[in-house]
Amino acid sequence: MKSLFVFSFGALVLLASPVAAKGTADADQAARAIARQTIQLQDRDHDGRISLKESAGAALSMFYSIDTDQSQLISSAEMVHATMTDVAALKVSNSADQTAALVASRFEVMDMDGDGSISLPEMLAVMQTVFDTADANADGFVSQNELVALATDRSAVAQGR
């Protein structure tokens, strides 16, 4: 289940990454890979898109797979351990330090109350925000094209929908 989290988290990292902002071919390729994997992993009814229910189920699975000490909170260390290698593999940064900074910045965004950990309600709130943002046409589902548009900071219309 960690890969489920990583691909979703990877989309969040791409949103804040300087590489994605440049619209490079590497960023586009990474965004498409993330979108494909996210759909494959979260689309439980195999209709080619993610519903809010599927997204919430994925958020629950992600949370519990990252919370290795079963404290009901995700620490910064747990986040780094679960994501560092896979985020680096996305090649949205040029160095381990830059990758660590991206992971840390995403952790800060998810830690809404600033207490140094991510609770389940915080995780669900972040996933709801990502879902709502990705659902460009507000049909209650997120398509692969919408995920790519989100990750590369382009509108879904520019994706040819």
PDB file of all heavy atoms in Angstrom, residues 56-69:
ATOM      1  N   ALA A  56     -11.236   8.480  -0.801  1.00  0.00           N
ATOM      2  CA  ALA A  56     -11.255   8.410   0.669  1.00  0.00           C
ATOM      3  C   ALA A  56     -10.716   7.070   1.152  1.00  0.00           C
ATOM      4  O   ALA A  56      -9.948   7.007   2.126  1.00  0.00           O
ATOM      5  CB  ALA A  56     -12.667   8.645   1.192  1.00  0.00           C
ATOM      6  N   GLY A  57     -11.087   5.995   0.485  1.00  0.00           N
ATOM      7  CA  GLY A  57     -10.564   4.676   0.842  1.00  0.00           C
ATOM      8  C   GLY A  57      -9.059   4.612   0.683  1.00  0.00           C
ATOM      9  O   GLY A  57      -8.346   4.050   1.519  1.00  0.00           O
ATOM     10  N   ALA A  58      -8.567   5.224  -0.382  1.00  0.00           N
ATOM     11  CA  ALA A  58      -7.123   5.262  -0.605  1.00  0.00           C
ATOM     12  C   ALA A  58      -6.432   6.081   0.484  1.00  0.00           C
ATOM     13  O   ALA A  58      -5.362   5.695   0.963  1.00  0.00           O
ATOM     14  CB  ALA A  58      -6.819   5.849  -1.981  1.00  0.00           C
ATOM     15  N   ALA A  59      -7.049   7.197   0.879  1.00  0.00           N
ATOM     16  CA  ALA A  59      -6.458   8.029   1.940  1.00  0.00           C
ATOM     17  C   ALA A  59      -6.355   7.249   3.243  1.00  0.00           C
ATOM     18  O   ALA A  59      -5.341   7.333   3.947  1.00  0.00           O
ATOM     19  CB  ALA A  59      -7.274   9.304   2.135  1.00  0.00           C
ATOM     20  N   LEU A  60      -7.371   6.477   3.563  1.00  0.00           N
ATOM     21  CA  LEU A  60      -7.323   5.652   4.776  1.00  0.00           C
ATOM     22  C   LEU A  60      -6.202   4.626   4.689  1.00  0.00           C
ATOM     23  O   LEU A  60      -5.423   4.455   5.630  1.00  0.00           O
ATOM     24  CB  LEU A  60      -8.657   4.933   4.991  1.00  0.00           C
ATOM     25  CG  LEU A  60      -9.819   5.783   5.467  1.00  0.00           C
ATOM     26  CD1 LEU A  60     -11.129   4.990   5.394  1.00  0.00           C
ATOM     27  CD2 LEU A  60      -9.573   6.273   6.885  1.00  0.00           C
ATOM     28  N   SER A  61      -6.101   3.952   3.562  1.00  0.00           N
ATOM     29  CA  SER A  61      -5.038   2.960   3.373  1.00  0.00           C
ATOM     30  C   SER A  61      -3.661   3.612   3.455  1.00  0.00           C
ATOM     31  O   SER A  61      -2.740   3.064   4.081  1.00  0.00           O
ATOM     32  CB  SER A  61      -5.180   2.270   2.018  1.00  0.00           C
ATOM     33  OG  SER A  61      -6.343   1.491   1.992  1.00  0.00           O
ATOM     34  N   MET A  62      -3.533   4.763   2.824  1.00  0.00           N
ATOM     35  CA  MET A  62      -2.260   5.475   2.855  1.00  0.00           C
ATOM     36  C   MET A  62      -1.874   5.812   4.288  1.00  0.00           C
ATOM     37  O   MET A  62      -0.730   5.584   4.701  1.00  0.00           O
ATOM     38  CB  MET A  62      -2.367   6.786   2.074  1.00  0.00           C
ATOM     39  CG  MET A  62      -2.475   6.637   0.594  1.00  0.00           C
ATOM     40  SD  MET A  62      -2.596   8.268  -0.158  1.00  0.00           S
ATOM     41  CE  MET A  62      -4.221   8.164  -0.883  1.00  0.00           C
ATOM     42  N   PHE A  63      -2.827   6.371   5.001  1.00  0.00           N
ATOM     43  CA  PHE A  63      -2.546   6.804   6.367  1.00  0.00           C
ATOM     44  C   PHE A  63      -2.021   5.650   7.210  1.00  0.00           C
ATOM     45  O   PHE A  63      -0.977   5.754   7.842  1.00  0.00           O
ATOM     46  CB  PHE A  63      -3.797   7.403   7.008  1.00  0.00           C
ATOM     47  CG  PHE A  63      -3.553   7.943   8.382  1.00  0.00           C
ATOM     48  CD1 PHE A  63      -3.077   9.226   8.559  1.00  0.00           C
ATOM     49  CD2 PHE A  63      -3.775   7.157   9.501  1.00  0.00           C
ATOM     50  CE1 PHE A  63      -2.822   9.724   9.836  1.00  0.00           C
ATOM     51  CE2 PHE A  63      -3.523   7.635  10.778  1.00  0.00           C
ATOM     52  CZ  PHE A  63      -3.042   8.928  10.945  1.00  0.00           C
ATOM     53  N   TYR A  64      -2.751   4.542   7.197  1.00  0.00           N
ATOM     54  CA  TYR A  64      -2.357   3.419   8.052  1.00  0.00           C
ATOM     55  C   TYR A  64      -1.084   2.724   7.586  1.00  0.00           C
ATOM     56  O   TYR A  64      -0.358   2.161   8.408  1.00  0.00           O
ATOM     57  CB  TYR A  64      -3.524   2.448   8.226  1.00  0.00           C
ATOM     58  CG  TYR A  64      -4.622   3.074   9.048  1.00  0.00           C
ATOM     59  CD1 TYR A  64      -5.863   3.336   8.497  1.00  0.00           C
ATOM     60  CD2 TYR A  64      -4.392   3.455  10.368  1.00  0.00           C
ATOM     61  CE1 TYR A  64      -6.862   3.950   9.254  1.00  0.00           C
ATOM     62  CE2 TYR A  64      -5.380   4.071  11.124  1.00  0.00           C
ATOM     63  CZ  TYR A  64      -6.607   4.311  10.565  1.00  0.00           C
ATOM     64  OH  TYR A  64      -7.585   4.927  11.313  1.00  0.00           O
ATOM     65  N   SER A  65      -0.775   2.787   6.299  1.00  0.00           N
ATOM     66  CA  SER A  65       0.480   2.187   5.842  1.00  0.00           C
ATOM     67  C   SER A  65       1.684   3.049   6.201  1.00  0.00           C
ATOM     68  O   SER A  65       2.777   2.528   6.436  1.00  0.00           O
ATOM     69  CB  SER A  65       0.450   1.904   4.350  1.00  0.00           C
ATOM     70  OG  SER A  65       0.518   3.095   3.599  1.00  0.00           O
ATOM     71  N   ILE A  66       1.506   4.341   6.275  1.00  0.00           N
ATOM     72  CA  ILE A  66       2.599   5.248   6.631  1.00  0.00           C
ATOM     73  C   ILE A  66       2.793   5.302   8.147  1.00  0.00           C
ATOM     74  O   ILE A  66       3.910   5.435   8.635  1.00  0.00           O
ATOM     75  CB  ILE A  66       2.335   6.667   6.087  1.00  0.00           C
ATOM     76  CG1 ILE A  66       2.205   6.644   4.576  1.00  0.00           C
ATOM     77  CG2 ILE A  66       3.424   7.642   6.536  1.00  0.00           C
ATOM     78  CD1 ILE A  66       3.403   6.162   3.836  1.00  0.00           C
ATOM     79  N   ASP A  67       1.713   5.174   8.903  1.00  0.00           N
ATOM     80  CA  ASP A  67       1.767   5.238  10.371  1.00  0.00           C
ATOM     81  C   ASP A  67       2.310   3.930  10.935  1.00  0.00           C
ATOM     82  O   ASP A  67       1.611   3.137  11.549  1.00  0.00           O
ATOM     83  CB  ASP A  67       0.366   5.536  10.926  1.00  0.00           C
ATOM     84  CG  ASP A  67       0.334   5.631  12.440  1.00  0.00           C
ATOM     85  OD1 ASP A  67       1.383   5.930  13.050  1.00  0.00           O
ATOM     86  OD2 ASP A  67      -0.747   5.398  13.009  1.00  0.00           O
ATOM     87  N   THR A  68       3.605   3.716  10.758  1.00  0.00           N
ATOM     88  CA  THR A  68       4.213   2.435  11.117  1.00  0.00           C
ATOM     89  C   THR A  68       4.256   2.175  12.616  1.00  0.00           C
ATOM     90  O   THR A  68       4.278   1.027  13.039  1.00  0.00           O
ATOM     91  CB  THR A  68       5.642   2.322  10.543  1.00  0.00           C
ATOM     92  OG1 THR A  68       6.417   3.430  11.003  1.00  0.00           O
ATOM     93  CG2 THR A  68       5.605   2.303   9.019  1.00  0.00           C
ATOM     94  N   ASP A  69       4.249   3.226  13.427  1.00  0.00           N
ATOM     95  CA  ASP A  69       4.259   3.016  14.884  1.00  0.00           C
ATOM     96  C   ASP A  69       2.843   2.922  15.469  1.00  0.00           C
ATOM     97  O   ASP A  69       2.676   2.790  16.664  1.00  0.00           O
ATOM     98  CB  ASP A  69       5.076   4.093  15.606  1.00  0.00           C
ATOM     99  CG  ASP A  69       4.456   5.484  15.520  1.00  0.00           C
ATOM    100  OD1 ASP A  69       3.349   5.644  14.953  1.00  0.00           O
ATOM    101  OD2 ASP A  69       5.104   6.430  16.019  1.00  0.00           O
TER     102      ASP A  69
END
